[in-house]
Amino acid sequence: MSDNEQTTSQQLFNHLYEGCNILRGPINQDEFKSYITPILFFKRISDVYDEETVQALKETEGDEKLASLPEYHSFVIPKGCHWNDVREKSENVGKAIVDAMTGIEQNNPDTLSGVFSSFDDANWTDKTKLDDARLKNLVEYFSKIKVGNNNYSADVMGDAYEFLIKKFADLSKKNAGEFYTPRSIVKLLVMLMDPKPGETVYDPACGTGGMLIEAIHHINNSKQTYGKIFGQENNLSTSAIARMNLFLHGARDFTIAQADTLRNPLFIENNKLKTFNCVIANPPFSLENWGAEVFLNDRYGRNLWGCPSDSNGDFAWLQHMVASMNKENGRCAVVLPQGVLFRSTGKEGEIRKALIESDKLECVITLVGGVFYSTGVSACILLLNNNKEHTHKGRICLINAESIYTPMRAQNIMTEENIQEVFELYKKYEDVIEKVKVVNLDEIRQKDYSLSVSNYIEKKPEEAIDVEKVKKEYFEAVKEVQENEEKMKKLLIEGEFING
């Protein structure tokens, strides 16, 4: 492939995923991501560095010393740590890979700290698992394709990487729903929240960063998002993937923190929880042992409406997100199990009542079951707003989107047309038989603060049954059956007579 040859996301994904076949055998398929992800990112950093060097040499009239200065490069690659340095090795290839990745991390502490070492289950130096020949083969395979900015737009590279993430989620089957949120659902959440240029966006359960990337796309001005994108993720390697994902999509100047958000929120200002214009998340559903004992006396006051039991963290996530919303114009879009709409066990009923009475809740959307990986739980989207439109105040738009989907063989999906239909129903904010009911707070109070959408949606009137018409059709059908039986008997008798 030439330095400037373009390709599609699918072609790039196919090439990247084929690299897994080199590992197949000594490496289990659910471990592929721990090897393919960092090796791809290592190659990407090296290719981008080479592109920047070519440009720097033009600007410095060929001065190699000047062209190597940090101001000409996105990342520092110390001597001996470039992809080509590893490619020259024929012995102890695994050690060379580890040394290069470690060197890059150490020389880019503010941006790349932990992105390689987070994959601590990858054992590059175990020659009983990966001998030099196999690793050399892997390096040469990735050397066949350039993954710099000249070869792919950020979208193509990022999309291919998203395909890879989804594939790894499908292979592992473990917590796939947490690892990868279907892109159409992500897009719908961002459309509903509508982040504007200059606004801050925060995902407290950011997984691999898909929500934040979609927010950047929606804003459609990457420079306006510099310093405005924030995420926190508990899993070490997943937080590293999120940072790689954002970099591969062309994002810059963002912050991904790694820790347990409910127990240890890391975005703090002046000893208070930092607030954002837009808060978006698909947190793990019905999380157990999430830290109720800490949340009960939360130092940041996130238990706004009460502390849920330690057997289910759904309302803890919601309250953390509400507390993280900018007081003036903060919006929040979150995916949760539909149980939050009607369950009243423990403190849940009281918390939901307080949520409704706060008049922050703007819209509830119920989704068809089966659109999320690894879970059959039916989900819903809650949209909250600290600055509701005047005509929305004291009202909540309830949307039943359970019939708005596209069935596929393996699972239900929501297409671009499906999410656009749901979005238009929200924008109109008016009753639609079978699909939408805009309710006021009094109506919800009368139903004991249940938000079960199906209890409010107006159904189509059933057609009156014409009894006489049904009776006539029934007797005609019976008569037809009897006539056919007589014909059959006659044929059988004639047949016996002929054969006898």
Side-chain angles (χ1 to χ4, degrees):
M1 179 178 284
S2 70
D3 280 7
N4 293 299
E5 186 177 335
Q6 296 289 324
T7 191
T8 67
S9 301
Q10 188 63 48
Q11 288 170 330
L12 179 57
F13 160 74
N14 290 340
H15 185 90
L16 298 176
Y17 186 63
E18 276 298 309
C20 294
N21 287 330
I22 298 169
L23 300 174
R24 202 176 297 276
I27 304 298
N28 295 327
Q29 63 180 16
D30 60 353
E31 295 179 288
F32 286 165
K33 74 173 172 41
S34 299
Y35 292 89
I36 297 298
T37 300
I39 204 80
L40 165 62
F41 196 56
F42 175 29
K43 180 68 161 61
R44 166 78 167 177
I45 288 173
S46 297
D47 284 356
V48 170
Y49 186 90
D50 291 345
E51 291 173 353
E52 291 169 342
T53 298
V54 170
Q55 183 60 34
L57 286 170
K58 288 180 183 176
E59 294 178 18
T60 61
E61 299 181 343
D63 190 321
E64 292 184 7
K65 190 171 182 180
L66 278 177
S68 67
L69 292 175
E71 49 262 42
Y72 287 105
H73 296 279
S74 303
F75 307 106
V76 175
I77 298 184
K79 189 175 181 181
C81 294
H82 191 281
W83 180 268
N84 291 335
D85 297 316
V86 172
R87 195 178 180 189
E88 290 173 2
K89 302 288 184 181
S90 56
E91 294 182 351
N92 298 321
V93 180
K95 184 177 184 303
I97 291 171
V98 171
D99 289 346
M101 290 178 176
T102 302
I104 291 171
E105 268 196 23
Q106 290 175 345
N107 281 269
N108 299 274
D110 294 335
T111 50
L112 299 181
S113 176
V115 292
F116 295 119
S117 55
S118 297
F119 297 93
D120 53 7
D121 52 343
N123 197 338
W124 295 99
T125 57
D126 183 355
K127 291 191 179 184
T128 62
K129 235 182 178 184
L130 293 171
D131 57 26
D132 285 329
R134 193 181 291 267
L135 283 178
K136 182 73 175 170
N137 192 10
L138 184 68
V139 170
E140 286 306 309
Y141 179 80
F142 273 85
S143 296
K144 290 178 183 176
I145 190 167
K146 288 189 178 295
V147 285
N149 290 325
N150 290 349
N151 306 100
Y152 316 105
S153 67
D155 280 350
V156 169
M157 185 72 219
D159 285 352
Y161 188 61
E162 286 281 304
F163 294 151
L164 201 60
I165 290 171
K166 179 188 179 300
K167 189 66 176 177
F168 290 147
D170 289 343
L171 288 173
S172 70
K173 301 296 182 189
K174 292 183 290 189
N175 301 321
E178 296 172 37
F179 194 67
Y180 183 84
T181 305
R183 174 167 287 189
S184 60
I185 304 294
V186 172
K187 188 167 185 178
L188 177 57
L189 285 168
V190 173
M191 288 165 66
L192 292 165
M193 197 175 58
D194 192 23
K196 304 287 197 305
E199 290 191 321
T200 51
V201 182
Y202 166 57
D203 184 342
C206 70
T208 55
M211 302 273 191
L212 299 174
I213 290 162
E214 186 58 42
I216 293 170
H217 284 167
H218 183 87
I219 290 168
N220 202 25
N221 186 332
S222 58
K223 288 191 176 180
Q224 287 277 2
T225 66
Y226 288 4
K228 307 289 186 182
I229 303 298
F230 303 85
Q232 184 163 336
E233 167 58 38
N234 189 31
N235 183 278
L236 189 62
S237 63
T238 306
S239 68
I241 290 175
R243 290 160 70 193
M244 291 181 189
N245 203 3
L246 281 152
F247 279 128
L248 293 176
H249 276 86
R252 293 289 179 270
D253 193 15
F254 56 83
T255 306
I256 301 295
Q258 189 268 314
D260 184 327
T261 300
L262 295 181
R263 287 185 170 89
N264 184 22
L266 294 182
F267 293 104
I268 307 298
E269 284 184 343
N270 302 319
N271 293 319
K272 293 181 180 179
L273 206 64
K274 181 177 173 66
T275 59
F276 307 87
N277 304 114
C278 300
V279 185
I280 187 169
N282 173 22
F285 288 1
S286 306
L287 188 64
E288 297 180 358
N289 304 315
W290 55 270
E293 70 288 347
V294 176
F295 203 79
L296 182 63
N297 299 298
D298 186 62
R299 62 185 295 192
Y300 304 113
R302 293 176 296 165
N303 52 356
L304 301 165
W305 303 315
C307 182
S309 75
D310 214 26
S311 61
N312 189 319
D314 293 338
F315 275 116
W317 282 109
L318 180 62
Q319 290 185 96
H320 169 83
M321 294 175 74
V322 171
S324 300
M325 290 163 60
N326 178 284
K327 300 297 180 286
E328 300 299 320
N329 65 357
R331 286 100 70 206
C332 164
V334 58
V335 181
L336 291 169
Q338 286 190 25
V340 301
L341 304 178
F342 49 81
R343 279 194 311 252
S344 294
T345 55
K347 290 271 188 181
E348 292 200 7
E350 295 174 26
I351 295 171
R352 184 171 54 254
K353 175 181 177 180
L355 162 66
I356 291 164
E357 291 292 354
S358 74
D359 199 19
K360 297 177 187 291
L361 188 59
E362 191 162 33
C363 183
V364 175
I365 302 167
T366 54
L367 304 173
V368 68
V371 291
F372 288 87
Y373 297 96
S374 78
T375 177
V377 173
S378 295
C380 62
I381 296 171
L382 302 186
L383 184 66
L384 291 85
N385 194 337
N386 276 340
N387 185 26
K388 278 185 174 183
E389 288 183 29
H390 180 70
T391 55
H392 293 186
K393 288 180 179 177
R395 307 166 83 208
I396 301 172
C397 181
L398 304 177
I399 301 175
N400 179 1
E402 293 184 41
S403 63
I404 305 174
Y405 70 97
T406 301
M408 302 292 281
R409 186 174 60 83
Q411 71 177 105
N412 296 325
I413 65 166
M414 292 187 77
T415 63
E416 189 79 24
E417 292 76 19
N418 294 149
I419 64 169
Q420 193 62 44
E421 181 181 349
V422 176
F423 181 68
E424 291 301 325
L425 290 173
Y426 162 69
K427 290 301 288 183
K428 288 176 182 174
Y429 218 80
E430 59 187 34
D431 293 355
V432 177
I433 291 176
E434 297 278 338
K435 289 185 178 175
V436 184
K437 182 67 178 176
V438 180
V439 296
N440 60 46
L441 298 191
D442 271 341
E443 290 175 90
I444 299 174
R445 290 177 189 124
Q446 289 166 18
K447 290 191 182 290
D448 201 24
Y449 294 95
S450 169
L451 289 171
S452 182
V453 173
S454 60
N455 288 346
Y456 296 90
I457 298 288
E458 188 177 347
K459 307 291 192 297
K460 283 182 182 175
E462 293 185 9
E463 290 184 20
I465 298 172
D466 186 335
V467 177
E468 290 304 317
K469 183 182 177 184
V470 172
K471 280 171 66 177
K472 182 182 176 185
E473 289 174 352
Y474 170 74
F475 288 121
E476 285 176 353
V478 169
K479 183 180 178 182
E480 186 180 347
V481 169
Q482 289 171 341
E483 288 173 352
N484 287 333
E485 282 182 350
E486 289 300 322
K487 287 178 185 177
M488 181 62 75
K489 284 178 185 177
K490 188 176 179 183
L491 288 170
L492 289 172
I493 291 167
E494 288 174 356
E496 287 178 5
F497 177 77
I498 292 168
N499 292 330

